[in-house]
């Protein structure tokens, strides 16, 4: 997850699915209202009770409503362009509980052409690759997380060359 631009990129590619967003995004002036009105689920990692409630909402959306959920496994924007940050447990716990696969999505590095903090938004091609699903196994959420990371890192290494 590289920048706030990832949200509309993902929303354009995966319309109609349920987005799990960081709770503070709901406070954004325009996009926050849009995300809230579109059925997004706010995940507040800083308050464990709220985080658990959001994951329960996600589980319901998957099992009862048959929605797909998309999350940024890192839980926050990466600090080093083109490199994955530490994965959070939520997506992998959710996949393990529901038995649904993780479908890794890798977006090519946006920097240096696009850098919101530097106020630089240069038109350039963005490559989004949807990797094959990774199904949860008896090995648990840690093994699932490790396998997803391995596949995503392999593709990012190609993007960096």
């Amino acid at each position: 997850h590289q920048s706030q631009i990832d949200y509309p990129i993902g929303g354009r590619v995966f319309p109609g699915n349920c987005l799990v967003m960081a709770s503070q995004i709901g406070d954004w002036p325009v996009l926050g209202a849009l995300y809230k009105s579109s059925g997004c689920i706010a995940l507040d990692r800083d308050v464990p009770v709220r985080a658990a409630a959001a994951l329960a909402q996600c589980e319901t959306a998957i099992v009862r409503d048959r929605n797909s959920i998309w999350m940024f496994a890192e839980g926050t924007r990466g600090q080093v362009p083109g490199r994955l940050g530490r994965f959070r447990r939520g997506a992998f716990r959710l996949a393990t509980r529901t038995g649904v696969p993780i479908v890794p999505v890798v977006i090519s590095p946006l920097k240096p052409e696009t850098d919101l903090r530097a106020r630089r938004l240069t038109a350039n091609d963005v490559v989004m690759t949807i990797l094959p699903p990774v199904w949860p196994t008896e090995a648990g959420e840690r093994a699932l997380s490790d396998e997803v990371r391995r596949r995503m890192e392999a593709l990012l290494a190609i993007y960096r060359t």
Side-chain angles (χ1 to χ4, degrees):
H1 174 28
Q2 302 173 66
S3 77
Q4 308 313 15
I5 291 175
D6 292 348
Y7 289 98
I9 290 172
R12 176 79 172 124
V13 173
F14 303 107
N17 291 327
C18 188
L19 167 67
V20 177
M21 63 178 186
S23 61
Q24 66 269 24
I25 293 171
D27 298 332
W28 292 357
V30 176
L31 288 179
L34 176 65
Y35 288 129
K36 283 180 179 177
S37 69
S38 68
C40 293
I41 297 170
L43 178 63
D44 187 349
R45 283 191 329 264
D46 297 332
V47 181
V49 172
R50 288 188 194 155
L55 288 178
Q57 277 185 280
C58 291
E59 195 168 336
T60 299
I62 291 169
V63 174
R64 186 191 72 202
D65 303 334
R66 308 207 31 88
N67 278 335
S68 294
I69 301 290
W70 60 281
M71 305 174 85
F72 296 108
E74 296 164 294
T76 189
R77 289 177 307 283
Q79 299 304 310
V80 180
R83 302 266 184 210
L84 291 175
R86 182 176 70 90
F87 281 0
R88 307 290 184 189
R89 294 172 49 194
F92 306 101
R93 177 172 287 170
L94 195 57
T96 302
R97 281 187 189 167
T98 60
V100 298
I102 297 281
V103 179
V105 176
V106 179
I107 301 172
S108 61
L110 298 175
K111 289 182 181 179
E113 292 85 3
T114 300
D115 186 347
L116 295 182
R117 288 193 177 154
R119 298 180 184 219
R120 185 174 46 252
L121 187 59
T122 306
N124 64 308
D125 291 332
V126 175
V127 177
M128 178 181 280
T129 304
I130 302 167
L131 299 171
V134 183
W135 290 87
T137 65
E138 297 293 322
E141 63 188 62
R142 178 59 187 222
L144 179 60
S145 173
D146 290 346
E147 179 59 19
V148 168
R149 174 177 283 284
R150 185 190 67 73
R151 292 182 187 192
M152 292 176 78
E153 288 283 6
L155 184 55
L156 282 169
I158 293 169
Y159 283 157
R160 286 191 295 267
T161 59

